[in-house]
Amino acid sequence: MTLIPSIFTLKVLYAFWGVSTILLFWSSLIKATRQWGNKNNQGLSFGLLDGGRGFFAATIALSGAGILTYFFPEKGIEITFENKVETLQYIIGSITFIVFLVSLLVWKVIPKEETKFEVGKEFQFNFKKAFSLMKQQKVIFHSLIIFCAYCSYKLTGVYGTYAKDVWNYSLEEATYFAVFIQYLRPIAAISIGWIADKFIPSKIIIPSFTILILASAILGFGFFNEQPIYLSATVFIFMALGTYSLRGLYFAIIEETKTPIQMTGTLVGIISVVGFTPDIFMSLFVGYMLGENPTIIEYQQLFTTFTIIPIIGLLAALGFRKSISKL
């Protein structure tokens, strides 16, 4: 990717990343996290997982913003296409180097455990049970919760462009605002995970979706358009906190479903098929709503339409609570 390949080659790269990071990695990661936290610490364990990922991602983004500031011409000098390509190459190259270092750490530092089973005692995968999971109400509601929460997460990419297009921030200022929002992720995920363990994770999902409904409605109907920027920025902060709280909780509720630990990977696979479909359409949806040169009107239309998503998420969370109450 550092060589700025053609669109076809980029598609091949994305297919490879899909196999290497999803097929071989994702369900195993969630199952390992569930095993790491006991039944009373699921909120904190998944909060630490997403908070750690968020902190690392924000730090990489901050480094990228630093590269952007360093390599872009000073204010008043026109930024050329060649400037953009060169800067992007340095950013991609830096991330590639970081991933390479992480791979070495995984290889050398993480202990290799050998699990020994008694003869005839290995876990036997049951396809009938796996397919029966798909029909259960708790799984359907869980999938919808992740779907709506992930739509909210994909929308965080708009925060920086909003600052540039509506608040007239420079590219650098908008980038740093987006990085600041990303640093809220570890704070929200870890804090809400700790709080959720004091109560019940699925209960905390309800106010998180409620915050998203209120925040997106405020932005969509333009209540603060004529007010100082810091009021709109505060709404974005609350929206981010609601979004990142959901990120830290939506897999923590697996324990509440009383799914056997051996079936965790299967369950994660099923709910992820529905839950992460926003990866396919959300960017297209945002692009369609905003157009090429968005103004505050297009952003209001985007947030007004988006309000439907957290409403569905709230209903799904209430449905999930009702379905697990029968267990």
Side-chain angles (χ1 to χ4, degrees):
M1 192 176 180
T2 312
L3 301 176
I4 314 297
S6 66
I7 291 293
F8 174 77
T9 307
L10 199 60
K11 290 178 181 178
V12 174
L13 282 175
Y14 267 87
F16 167 74
W17 287 327
V19 172
S20 62
T21 63
I22 305 301
L23 177 64
L24 302 177
F25 183 78
W26 182 241
S27 293
S28 302
L29 173 68
I30 301 303
K31 182 176 180 179
T33 307
R34 184 187 177 190
Q35 289 176 316
W36 172 63
N38 60 44
K39 64 179 182 179
N40 298 318
N41 290 315
Q42 291 294 299
L44 183 58
S45 60
F46 280 97
L48 285 169
L49 170 67
D50 198 68
R53 293 168 62 200
F55 178 80
F56 196 66
T59 302
I60 291 175
L62 183 61
S63 303
I67 293 172
L68 189 73
T69 303
Y70 182 79
F71 283 100
F72 264 23
E74 295 181 5
K75 290 182 179 179
I77 301 176
E78 183 182 356
I79 298 171
T80 64
F81 177 74
E82 287 72 22
N83 293 141
K84 294 179 180 179
V85 170
E86 182 185 17
T87 304
L88 184 61
Q89 286 177 313
Y90 277 110
I91 292 172
I92 296 171
S94 300
I95 293 172
T96 303
F97 179 69
I98 291 168
V99 173
F100 178 72
L101 289 180
V102 171
S103 69
L104 289 178
L105 285 172
V106 171
W107 183 23
K108 294 294 185 181
V109 176
I110 294 180
K112 297 175 177 59
E113 292 186 335
E114 293 184 9
T115 305
K116 296 181 180 179
F117 293 95
E118 295 178 25
V119 177
K121 295 291 184 179
E122 296 92 341
F123 172 70
Q124 299 295 321
F125 183 80
N126 189 317
F127 281 99
K128 188 175 180 181
K129 286 184 179 179
F131 284 116
S132 71
L133 280 175
M134 299 181 189
K135 305 174 188 176
Q136 296 177 12
Q137 283 190 349
K138 61 183 182 182
V139 176
I140 295 171
F141 287 129
H142 196 170
S143 300
L144 285 173
I145 288 170
I146 296 178
F147 173 86
C148 296
Y150 200 63
C151 282
S152 304
Y153 174 68
K154 296 293 287 185
L155 195 69
T156 57
V158 170
Y159 296 4
T161 62
Y162 185 97
K164 181 171 70 70
D165 297 330
V166 178
W167 298 340
N168 294 317
Y169 277 20
S170 68
L171 183 60
E172 289 87 350
E173 289 170 335
T175 301
Y176 281 113
F177 174 71
V179 170
F180 164 72
I181 291 293
Q182 286 198 48
Y183 269 113
L184 295 176
R185 181 175 168 184
I187 297 171
I190 296 172
S191 300
I192 208 69
W194 180 80
I195 293 170
D197 286 335
K198 304 298 179 184
F199 300 93
I200 298 174
S202 60
K203 284 185 177 180
I204 308 299
I205 284 178
I206 294 171
S208 297
F209 273 124
T210 303
I211 290 171
L212 284 178
I213 294 169
L214 294 174
S216 55
I218 289 170
L219 292 169
F221 291 105
F223 292 128
F224 291 159
N225 285 358
E226 306 300 324
Q227 304 301 319
I229 288 175
Y230 74 85
L231 291 175
S232 297
T234 301
V235 176
F236 276 112
I237 289 171
F238 274 100
M239 198 169 183
L241 290 174
T243 299
Y244 294 140
S245 295
L246 290 169
R247 290 271 298 178
L249 290 175
Y250 56 41
F251 279 116
I253 62 178
I254 290 178
E255 193 68 28
E256 296 178 50
T257 65
K258 294 183 169 57
T259 302
I261 192 72
Q262 296 93 337
M263 297 293 290
T264 302
T266 302
L267 176 63
V268 170
I270 292 170
I271 59 181
S272 293
V273 168
V274 175
F276 293 112
T277 51
D279 266 335
I280 300 171
F281 70 84
M282 196 62 188
S283 296
L284 295 173
F285 166 72
V286 170
Y288 173 77
M289 293 295 295
L290 295 182
E292 290 186 10
N293 298 297
T295 65
I296 192 170
I297 301 300
E298 283 76 24
Y299 279 101
Q300 283 183 238
Q301 292 172 347
L302 170 64
F303 286 112
T304 303
T305 308
F306 172 77
T307 306
I308 299 169
I309 298 296
I311 291 174
I312 295 172
L314 178 60
L315 295 174
L318 293 171
F320 179 84
R321 290 284 306 153
K322 184 177 180 180
S323 66
I324 63 171
S325 66
K326 303 171 185 177
L327 299 177

